[in-house]
Amino acid sequence: MAQPATEQPPADLQVPDNAIEVRGLTKVYGGRKARGSKPALDNVDLDVPQGALFALLGPNGAGKSTLINILAGLVVKTAGSARVWNIDIDADPRGARAAIGVVPQELNIDSYFTPREYMEMQAGLYGVPVRERRTMEILDMVGLTEKADSYGRTLSGGMRRRLLIAKAMVHDPPILVLDEPTAGVDIALREQLWENVRALNRRGVTILLTTHYLEEAEELCDRIAIINHGRVVACDSRDAMLHRLDSKTMDVTVSGAIGDIPDPLRRYKTDCPAPNRLRIHYQSGRTRAGEILDAIARSGLDIVDLRTEEADLAAIFRQLTRGDGGTARQPHEDEYR
Ligand code: ADP
């Protein structure tokens, strides 16, 4: 989308506690008249703290893009309010837009422009004065220094994504929004992209990203909101989210074949994935690991290896999206890598 000239973040704005504040945000595509339509966003409240690396996690169709597109001024909300860097999107849409750099999902890059030319064009669109442009500094930040003068067509998928991140940063926004940043990027490049995003965050940029990859939210983000059917069903720090489930698994390998689950272990949820292995599921808040070890000893089993696993986001997600009236499309396991 062509941006009007002279869009730059107001330099005199104080740093707010929350980079983004959303209240009662609702979107019904087709407008208010679209009666009976399910809202794409349903009365969403959300705070993204300044300096956060924040994931908006949810399955396809959950409403993630709708939310960020409203913040970026690309979709008109039906109801509610939103503040971006303390600027109300209704009162000052240009100011709010200037505080955000948006990295879109698609990887459209014109083959005949070089990254340096791309950056200069974008800086021009945003009215960044030539002396204030930081083209090479930003390209360097995303690891594209050596490709600055290569044609777009020679850039790999990962490089294109990084160029789009650089492009979103030309007007020096305090908030960077990434829509599914690693969709279509292979696993090797994903780590590299994550490192670029972390580096920007370390420089003080608040990051809001949408993802349907649990791993991405878990590895990269310090705060996570889970969105499902247009509603925020959980929002917490990553660690608190992981503690929430308080579910652990003890994986025990013993020296011989186990046969039936021994009596002392029957009071725990135990399965036997291999003849000499036991998996015992327990809640660390209720059951001590030592108690389980005692039960294994009383069963006459000889432990040769043991490890415990914490709950992961996949389990939390399943718990949070369970039982919403049967209308929910339950996410398929494969969607959450
Ligand atoms: P996500 O980004 O989580 O995949 P979206 O925000 O794209 O979800 O979509 C949320 C819901 O809104 C979906 O049901 C989707 O079909 C619907 N939707 C998204 N964009 C439009 C549009 N332009 N017109 C009508 N419905 C839309």
Side-chain angles (χ1 to χ4, degrees), residues 29 40 58-67 179:
Y29 284 100
N60 288 328
K64 306 181 297 293
S65 301
T66 300
L67 176 52
D179 198 2

Side-chain angles (χ1 to χ4, degrees), residues 128-148:
V128 182
V130 173
R131 65 183 178 286
E132 288 174 22
R133 292 185 189 174
R134 300 180 304 132
T135 295
M136 285 315 296
E137 185 190 328
I138 301 170
L139 286 177
D140 192 41
M141 241 154 50
V142 297
L144 283 177
T145 309
E146 295 188 353
K147 286 282 179 182

Side-chain angles (χ1 to χ4, degrees), residues 8 11 23 63-64 89 98 147 167 198 213 225 232 250 287 314:
Q8 283 198 66
R23 293 291 175 269
K64 306 181 297 293
I89 62 167
K147 286 282 179 182
K167 194 175 153 196
R198 284 191 193 105
Y213 296 133
V232 172
M250 189 184 290
T287 306

Side-chain angles (χ1 to χ4, degrees), residues 57 102 180 216 264 325 329 333:
L57 172 71
V102 181
E180 299 277 353
E216 189 152 75
R329 178 185 147 274
E333 283 279 325

